[in-house]
Amino acid sequence: MRFVLATWGSRGDVEPLAGLAVALQELGAEATVCAPPDDDFEALLARAGVPMAPLGPSVKSVVAAPKPPSGQAAFELAPRLVAARFQTLGAVVQDADAIVATGLMPAGARDVADKLGIRYVLACFHLGGIPSQHFSPGARPGTPSPEGETDRRVLWQHDAERVNALYGPSLNSHRAEIGLPPVESVRDYVLTEHPWLAADPILCPSKGMTDLDVVQTGAWLLPDDRPLHDELEAFLGAGEPPVYVGFGSMAAYAPKDIARTAIDACRAHGRRVLLSRGWAGLDLADEGRDCFMVGEINQQALFPRVAAIVHHGGAGTTTAAARSGTPQVVVPLIADQPYWASRVAALGIGAAHERATPTVDSLAAALGIALSSETQAQAAKTGGEITTDGARVAAGLLVDGAMEGVKKV
């Protein structure tokens, strides 16, 4: 059996597919991950022993710009991604049993699967893009809904129209080239009626939350047994546990001077700081011996050893922090990040910073909540309840589905 796993997005979109690929390999199946040709992702998949096929442009070239991408840039990127999926997947999936697609609106993946008559699964890492009567759609480039519109069914219909404007012309053009009829609603076609939710049910409960029949597997985690390097071990051992601060790939969105603000907020609590450079390009604000810079790191090994975790609220970082049992402070910036911030606060495992641009005082106040004994106890308790078998569950469903297909033939 062979499966093709496709995504275009940040590390939080790529690493879960690496985890799923490893789980499939453990069941005796083959798996290829189609992902953006960024060096970080190539190294990640090579470390996991997973074959990679490059898909689309580099993500870093898009998200690491000084300013957030414009609406015009989104309308230019969408058809490029559609074309890349038809080209890459068309070449890679010829002998595959199924395609699993994730990441930024993977228009083009199901079309290739349908043409070849193989199974297609859409997987998401949060509920934000799935139509629901419980919440409104998030922001998307295109014509906005009229000011004052509150009917969620109307708002979700407008969301579908924005997706059509972004992806529809290119998608239907490529479909015509391979003999497929046009799609009326790109979003609904991509999502299917049974999307998979690769998120922990404690952090992201799905029952009754969407209009679709969601299959929740749990988060897809990639095991990481890399040791921490000697210099970091020495810093950790030289005093009380520090506070970790990282904003992942948020180069264009990270608050101005966030490193300086975070260091001062941590010092207000007498805490040392571990600063993660990331694509956000954070840097030490001074040469204080109470600060240490890290690059790409094994979060599974590091997070249980810090006092608190300050981050942007990506699905992967939120899950890793929750699993570690360490309190967190989420400073949400875009997309699904406000949702994860709200869940962290609601569960009592950390604090949600209300504004995207913290001050020293506001971040210190949020850290005070995270460092309280009550939050520490709740974070430790919840950490022991986070599921860790999501990738194995998903891999089992894929293999079982492929076996059923063989039996029917």
Side-chain angles (χ1 to χ4, degrees):
M1 283 174 287
R2 180 169 175 270
F3 301 91
V4 172
L5 318 178
T7 191
W8 195 89
S10 67
R11 184 189 180 106
D13 297 295
V14 178
E15 185 165 328
L17 289 191
L20 176 58
V22 168
L24 285 165
Q25 291 174 343
E26 291 174 349
L27 293 179
E30 297 180 19
T32 298
V33 172
C34 300
D38 291 89
D39 292 344
D40 292 5
F41 304 155
E42 293 175 0
L44 168 68
L45 291 164
R47 173 169 59 83
V50 175
M52 173 183 169
L55 189 156
S58 158
V59 172
K60 193 171 186 178
S61 68
V62 176
V63 304
K67 295 181 179 180
S70 65
Q72 180 59 37
F75 276 89
E76 294 171 355
L77 176 63
R80 291 180 65 192
L81 294 179
V82 169
R85 293 188 186 103
F86 273 88
Q87 179 180 3
T88 300
L89 296 178
V92 172
V93 305
Q94 296 295 329
D95 59 346
D97 293 276
I99 295 175
V100 178
T102 71
L104 181 65
M105 187 55 66
R110 183 178 180 181
D111 315 81
V112 173
D114 284 355
K115 179 63 178 179
L116 297 176
I118 65 175
R119 186 183 182 190
Y120 163 82
V121 174
L122 182 282
C124 49
F125 305 124
H126 59 89
L127 295 171
I130 300 179
S132 172
Q133 293 309 298
H134 295 279
F135 49 85
S136 300
R140 200 187 296 274
T143 303
S145 298
E147 187 175 351
E149 179 62 71
T150 59
D151 187 323
R152 289 195 171 115
R153 292 194 183 278
V154 173
L155 293 173
W156 280 105
Q157 178 56 41
H158 293 165
D159 177 72
E161 293 168 3
R162 286 189 286 271
V163 175
N164 279 348
L166 279 164
Y167 297 95
S170 177
L171 184 75
N172 284 327
S173 174
H174 283 281
R175 285 176 64 87
E177 291 177 1
I178 61 175
L180 293 177
V183 169
E184 291 185 4
S185 175
V186 176
R187 185 198 66 194
D188 295 346
Y189 177 75
V190 168
L191 289 178
T192 78
E193 295 182 353
H194 307 284
W196 288 13
L197 176 59
D200 181 83
I202 293 176
L203 294 175
C204 185
S206 64
K207 187 175 181 180
M209 291 300 296
T210 79
D211 297 343
L212 302 179
D213 182 16
V214 171
V215 178
Q216 186 159 14
T217 64
W220 300 347
L221 306 176
L222 176 65
D224 193 345
D225 58 2
R226 294 174 297 164
L228 302 178
H229 57 79
D230 292 345
E231 294 84 358
L232 176 54
E233 284 286 1
F235 179 78
L236 290 171
E240 292 297 315
V243 172
Y244 171 95
V245 179
F247 283 80
S249 61
M250 296 289 102
Y253 300 93
K256 184 180 180 180
D257 300 326
I258 184 58
R260 171 82 273 168
T261 299
I263 289 171
D264 289 346
C266 293
R267 286 173 174 167
H269 288 278
R271 296 286 179 170
R272 302 185 300 153
V273 184
L274 262 179
L275 198 65
S276 174
R277 185 179 301 278
W279 286 4
L282 303 190
D283 205 352
L284 295 176
D286 58 43
E287 298 181 359
R289 297 179 63 183
D290 58 345
C291 300
F292 190 88
M293 175 69 74
V294 295
E296 198 279 324
I297 200 75
N298 180 354
Q299 293 181 342
Q300 295 173 25
L302 176 61
F303 280 3
R305 300 179 61 184
V306 300
I309 300 158
V310 179
H311 63 98
H312 58 296
T317 307
T318 303
T319 302
R323 181 186 173 201
S324 74
T326 299
Q328 50 191 302
V329 174
V330 182
V331 183
L333 305 173
I334 60 170
D336 57 319
Q337 296 165 14
Y339 171 79
W340 295 112
S342 70
R343 290 299 300 154
V344 164
L347 289 168
I349 60 175
H353 194 278
E354 294 184 0
R355 300 189 305 279
T357 305
T359 64
V360 173
D361 289 343
S362 67
L363 190 55
L367 266 173
I369 295 173
L371 294 170
S372 70
S373 57
E374 294 83 4
T375 304
Q376 291 178 24
Q378 185 61 31
K381 177 179 180 295
T382 302
E385 298 170 348
I386 300 297
T387 57
T388 59
D389 63 346
R392 291 192 295 273
V393 170
L397 291 173
L398 289 170
V399 169
D400 289 348
M403 293 297 293
E404 286 297 321
V406 171
K407 291 178 182 177
K408 289 178 181 178
V409 173

